[in-house]
Amino acid sequence: MTKRNILLFTAVPGLLCFLACARPAAKANSNGNTNTNASTNTAYTDTTNAIQPAIVTEHVQFDSDDPAIWVNPANPAQSLVIGTDKSADGALYVFDLQGKIRQVVHGLQRPNNVDIAYGLLLNGKRVDYAVTTERITHKLRFFSLPDMQPIDDGGIPVFEGETEKQYRDLMGIAVYTNKSGQQYAIVGRKTGPQDGTYLWQYLLSDNGAGKVKATLVRKFGHYSGKKEIESIAVDNEAGYIYYSDEQYGVRQYYAAPEKGNEELSLFGTTGFTEDHEGISIYKTSSKKGYLLVSDQGANKFHIFSREGTKHTLLKVVKVSASHSDGSDVVSIPLNDTFRHGLFVVMSDDRTFHYYRWEDIAGKQLEFAPTKK
């Protein structure tokens, strides 16, 4: 998952959000470095039982994989979680904050990852939307929010021109919104070349008929060749893209195409049991916060400092979600249950787990204050 996630005070038009912080941040490891990586035994590791979710959603039909959170700008308590059901006859599931299924969009051919963005200008109106990767058709599928109506004329092909079929097998998706309001889709695949062009980035716009158009603007991203690249996350405010090079590490690049294709950091290369998976960004201010990276085989999340390009490992938490693939987080008050933010984690029992940020943060990390 994706995921770009929501800044406390700018990302959702018209939504009043809040500055942090109620608790002091954990001290950075003096040995932390983007390339050498702080190991888990220099960070706080939660050795208690697995953290329990506040809510577990109703089950999807086949195979839960990746969630994304849409914050309702008029009423955050009416926000939604969109989750993929990854199957040849798959779907997008729409859940409320109580974990109940509110809508199901059927007829998708193996939807893998999903992301959400706000305010794309279509037909003269600003539209919030969910975008998912449809692996079998090699297309991006776009749906307006909150009504989940298609806005893509049946899907937008990506990775066109690749001669090897497996190089078009879509997986990851994240949307970058720059300070001017331009939006870009960054997409990954099951496998790809090792020449620094694994990810492709597309500028999103109106096709002239009120539907989404995607124009290729760059190819970038190193790949170790060890497994695959699925999880992509974008930090809109800081202007960075992160992605999990599974069984190798987390890579960081500039999100703006004009800033070039230099790799800014590689971190998290030690301490993971199996695959590096979902990446989520919890923001305590415009610059500070945390990067949460799933250690899939261990049912854990490694939490790194967010700012800059030196991402110090601060804490490792164990969750009750099993073999978590995708995740998403927001750092604003939503309702009485999620007063400091919501962390949504996929579990391989066909559900998604909702965690309170307070339970993830414990006494070591900052969190957003309650709404006054």
Side-chain angles (χ1 to χ4, degrees):
M1 153 94 156
T2 149
K3 309 292 171 66
R4 81 274 147 255
N5 298 303
I6 300 169
L7 179 63
L8 300 176
F9 47 84
T10 60
V12 185
L15 180 62
L16 178 62
C17 300
F18 305 87
L19 292 175
C21 299
R23 294 180 181 172
K27 292 183 179 180
N29 183 339
S30 61
N31 296 321
N33 183 277
T34 52
N35 295 315
T36 59
N37 298 287
S39 64
T40 55
N41 57 11
T42 61
Y44 175 83
T45 301
D46 192 334
T47 58
T48 61
N49 293 331
I51 297 170
Q52 298 301 309
I55 290 171
V56 176
T57 68
E58 296 179 318
H59 292 77
V60 304
Q61 185 175 3
F62 298 110
D63 182 10
S64 54
D65 193 79
D66 188 51
I69 304 165
W70 176 72
V71 174
N72 186 322
N75 183 358
Q78 298 299 316
S79 299
L80 302 171
V81 173
I82 317 299
T84 58
D85 185 9
K86 188 173 65 175
S87 169
D89 184 22
L92 289 179
Y93 278 70
V94 181
F95 302 94
D96 61 22
L97 293 185
Q98 291 70 48
K100 303 298 183 183
I101 297 170
R102 295 304 178 193
Q103 187 177 353
V104 182
V105 179
H106 290 289
L108 296 173
Q109 299 182 54
R110 199 170 175 80
N112 204 104
N113 283 31
V114 62
D115 199 16
I116 283 170
Y118 299 81
L120 182 65
L121 188 62
L122 296 177
N123 201 26
K125 297 180 180 180
R126 296 290 176 182
V127 177
D128 299 347
Y129 61 89
V131 54
T132 189
T133 51
E134 194 173 44
R135 287 178 63 176
I136 291 176
T137 66
H138 316 307
K139 292 180 179 181
L140 295 177
R141 300 300 314 275
F142 290 80
F143 299 89
S144 58
L145 283 165
D147 57 357
M148 294 299 290
Q149 295 302 303
I151 52 172
D152 58 8
D153 274 338
I156 298 174
V158 292
F159 294 117
E160 291 184 293
E162 289 284 33
T163 56
E164 296 190 46
K165 184 178 179 181
Q166 65 267 31
Y167 282 11
R168 298 197 66 194
D169 191 5
L170 287 179
M171 293 190 77
I173 177 67
V175 177
Y176 166 53
T177 303
N178 68 17
K179 293 180 180 179
S180 300
Q182 290 180 310
Q183 297 188 8
Y184 299 84
I186 299 96
V187 292
R189 49 254 178 102
K190 180 72 173 178
T191 190
Q194 293 180 255
D195 61 359
T197 63
Y198 196 102
L199 302 181
W200 288 19
Q201 184 167 352
Y202 295 82
L203 176 65
L204 303 178
S205 61
D206 191 320
N207 68 356
K211 305 295 183 182
V212 178
K213 174 184 177 182
T215 303
L216 179 65
V217 294
R218 73 161 168 168
K219 305 174 184 180
F220 72 101
H222 289 296
Y223 168 49
S224 68
K226 297 193 74 172
K227 193 174 181 185
E228 62 200 32
I229 294 169
E230 179 176 6
S231 180
I232 308 168
V234 175
D235 188 333
N236 287 328
E237 295 71 36
Y240 297 129
I241 291 170
Y242 300 92
Y243 63 89
S244 288
D245 190 340
E246 294 184 19
Q247 299 184 359
Y248 191 74
V250 179
R251 300 183 186 270
Q252 179 182 11
Y253 287 79
Y254 285 118
E258 62 271 18
K259 289 193 172 182
N261 299 336
E262 174 191 1
E263 183 169 281
L264 302 175
S265 71
L266 169 65
F267 61 98
T269 57
T270 61
F272 282 74
T273 303
E274 294 178 3
D275 295 344
H276 301 69
E277 285 284 358
I279 306 171
S280 299
I281 307 171
Y282 184 91
K283 301 171 183 177
T284 59
S285 71
S286 61
K287 295 181 179 180
K288 293 185 177 181
Y290 309 104
L291 306 175
L292 296 88
V293 183
S294 175
D295 184 351
Q296 187 179 36
N299 303 334
K300 293 178 180 178
F301 280 83
H302 296 224
I303 303 177
F304 299 87
S305 58
R306 171 192 172 206
E307 55 269 25
T309 58
K310 293 185 177 181
H311 304 291
T312 302
L313 180 62
L314 302 174
K315 184 178 182 181
V316 179
V317 297
K318 185 175 180 62
V319 296
S320 62
S322 176
H323 288 81
S324 178
D325 200 342
S327 63
D328 197 9
V329 69
V330 295
S331 52
I332 65 169
L334 297 178
N335 59 18
D336 288 342
T337 302
F338 304 107
R339 299 170 64 216
H340 299 284
L342 166 63
F343 183 43
V344 180
V345 174
M346 161 266 178
S347 183
D348 67 0
D349 60 357
R350 299 185 293 118
T351 68
F352 298 92
H353 288 199
Y354 295 3
Y355 293 89
R356 303 187 319 148
W357 177 251
E358 301 94 305
D359 297 332
I360 299 295
K363 296 180 179 180
Q364 293 74 40
L365 306 179
E366 297 177 353
F367 54 85
T370 56
K371 183 175 180 180
K372 296 182 179 179

